[in-house]
Amino acid sequence: MRRTALILAVLAVLLLLSGIVLQTYASGGSEHSEKAPAPPTVTLPERVPSDAPSIDGPNPGDSATIKLESSDRQREFVLSVPENYRAGGQWPVLFAFHGWGEGANNTRSYTGFDAARALVVYPQGVDNAWEGAPYAEVKPGEDQQFVSDILAALRATYRVDDSRVFAAGFSNGGGFSALLGCRMNEEFAGVASVAAAYYDTIFRDCDDTPIALLDIHGTTDPVIGYYGGVRHGADYASVEQVVGAAAERNTCSGQVHTSRVNAWALRQDWTGCSHPLTHIRIGGGGHVWPGAREDTYGYVPKDYASQEILRFFGIATG
């Protein structure tokens, strides 16, 4: 009788202990895991399903030139699809805009963005130029419509992450990227401008909605001066004016953290901002994509600008 009572008591203790273990497991394990913050919830913006026709785009690991009707013009762009693209995921989109007098394939060559884990778009400007510049041949808003038409076609064909659409560009293309950040920021999560031509027309009718901005510019740029100036009879803003306005737009309230990249380049990161704001100042740098094969100055490492842009946008490579 006593033996039976002892066995029952042991069983009761074991059941009690197992209940505690199960409760601890269900609540997340140890007390350290209970204190760990929950992963953030990302809500993608609602999009009306696009009625644009899908395009005959390239397969994963390939690129192709795509022709597209936009604003009663035959336009085209080069599209590169990452090798690891899978239809089940959500994929960022990176637009890369060429400088004046260049073309889509020039930008593709010196940026090396094909290595990015993103759908990379290299659009071709009409007469090798983009709106916002005094020499542009398109009507106001025409290039913006071209960008919208490309996005609609991509959404109809590929799995686009609408919260991760970015624009980057060089010179005239850098200025156009800034224009998109001003007037199409409902589409773009961030822009990056390299040696950008910030003509005054770019900032007209600019939406004051904050947007992530990375600016890279050489201090001795002989084409688009670091400190502003006049070109083609039109005024363009200095880097200081542009990043200063961006700091206000992004409601930056903290200090500017300055760090040295190397003996020639300085990096400035604004703090306390609603959206990231960074400027990289290359002392003695000229009108070139820093770190590209064409960059003979040698002030920054190989592929420097491209790597910084991808890092700023949070886009992986390989």
Side-chain angles (χ1 to χ4, degrees), residues 228-245:
V230 179
R231 186 167 172 80
H232 299 281
D235 294 332
Y236 62 87
S238 69
V239 172
E240 183 181 12
Q241 289 173 307
V242 172
V243 297

Side-chain angles (χ1 to χ4, degrees), residues 26 35 81 108 117 196 205 208 221 231 235 245 248 263 278 282 317:
K35 292 180 180 178
V81 178
R108 184 183 176 204
R117 293 190 179 185
D205 304 319
D208 60 0
D221 188 328
R231 186 167 172 80
D235 294 332
E248 291 185 14
T278 296
I282 302 176
T317 58

Side-chain angles (χ1 to χ4, degrees), residues 1-302:
M1 193 70 177
R2 291 180 180 177
R3 183 179 180 183
T4 301
L6 180 61
I7 292 173
L8 290 174
V10 171
L11 288 173
V13 172
L14 290 174
L15 286 172
L16 178 61
L17 289 174
S18 64
I20 293 173
V21 171
L22 287 172
Q23 184 178 7
T24 303
Y25 178 81
S27 64
S30 69
E31 67 174 9
H32 295 289
S33 63
E34 288 176 359
K35 292 180 180 178
T41 300
V42 178
T43 302
L44 296 179
E46 292 291 332
R47 296 286 185 192
V48 177
S50 173
D51 58 358
S54 60
I55 55 177
D56 185 16
N59 294 320
D62 291 333
S63 61
T65 299
I66 310 295
K67 296 188 181 299
L68 184 71
E69 192 75 22
S70 178
S71 299
D72 299 321
R73 288 183 190 265
Q74 184 77 3
R75 303 293 297 265
E76 65 180 43
F77 62 95
V78 176
L79 173 63
S80 177
V81 178
E83 188 174 2
N84 59 342
Y85 174 85
R86 299 292 181 271
Q90 293 279 348
W91 293 85
V93 175
L94 174 58
F95 283 83
F97 296 99
H98 60 74
W100 180 44
E102 297 181 340
N105 282 310
N106 294 114
T107 313
R108 184 183 176 204
S109 174
Y110 60 68
T111 63
F113 283 152
D114 279 9
R117 293 190 179 185
L119 299 166
V120 185
V121 180
Y122 306 94
Q124 178 62 50
V126 174
D127 287 345
N128 301 328
W130 300 106
E131 70 172 281
Y135 42 76
E137 295 294 331
V138 295
K139 298 176 182 177
E142 193 172 329
D143 280 336
Q144 295 172 65
Q145 184 60 51
F146 179 39
V147 170
S148 293
D149 292 339
I150 293 174
L151 271 174
L154 291 180
R155 288 178 178 131
T157 311
Y158 299 96
R159 294 279 294 175
V160 171
D161 184 345
D162 289 317
S163 69
R164 301 180 67 203
V165 179
F166 306 102
F170 173 67
S171 192
N172 173 212
F176 183 57
S177 296
L179 184 150
L180 294 175
C182 279
R183 305 184 196 177
M184 290 183 63
N185 47 46
E186 76 283 356
E187 293 282 12
F188 288 90
V191 299
S193 297
V194 178
Y198 292 125
Y199 291 105
D200 289 352
T201 51
I202 287 171
F203 301 104
R204 292 177 187 168
D205 304 319
C206 184
D207 192 318
D208 60 0
T209 303
I211 191 168
L213 172 65
L214 168 63
D215 176 272
I216 304 175
H217 211 121
T219 59
T220 58
D221 188 328
V223 178
I224 301 297
Y226 185 89
Y227 302 99
V230 179
R231 186 167 172 80
H232 299 281
D235 294 332
Y236 62 87
S238 69
V239 172
E240 183 181 12
Q241 289 173 307
V242 172
V243 297
E248 291 185 14
R249 185 180 181 190
N250 290 2
T251 61
C252 299
S253 58
Q255 295 182 339
V256 180
H257 180 261
T258 301
S259 57
R260 184 167 290 281
V261 177
N262 56 26
W264 299 276
L266 290 176
R267 178 189 182 97
Q268 294 178 302
D269 293 289
W270 276 252
T271 63
C273 307
S274 62
H275 291 66
L277 174 60
T278 296
H279 168 56
I280 298 174
R281 178 182 185 273
I282 302 176
H287 197 67
V288 68
W289 189 271
R293 182 177 55 199
E294 295 80 2
D295 180 8
T296 58
Y297 292 88
Y299 294 144
V300 293
K302 180 183 176 183

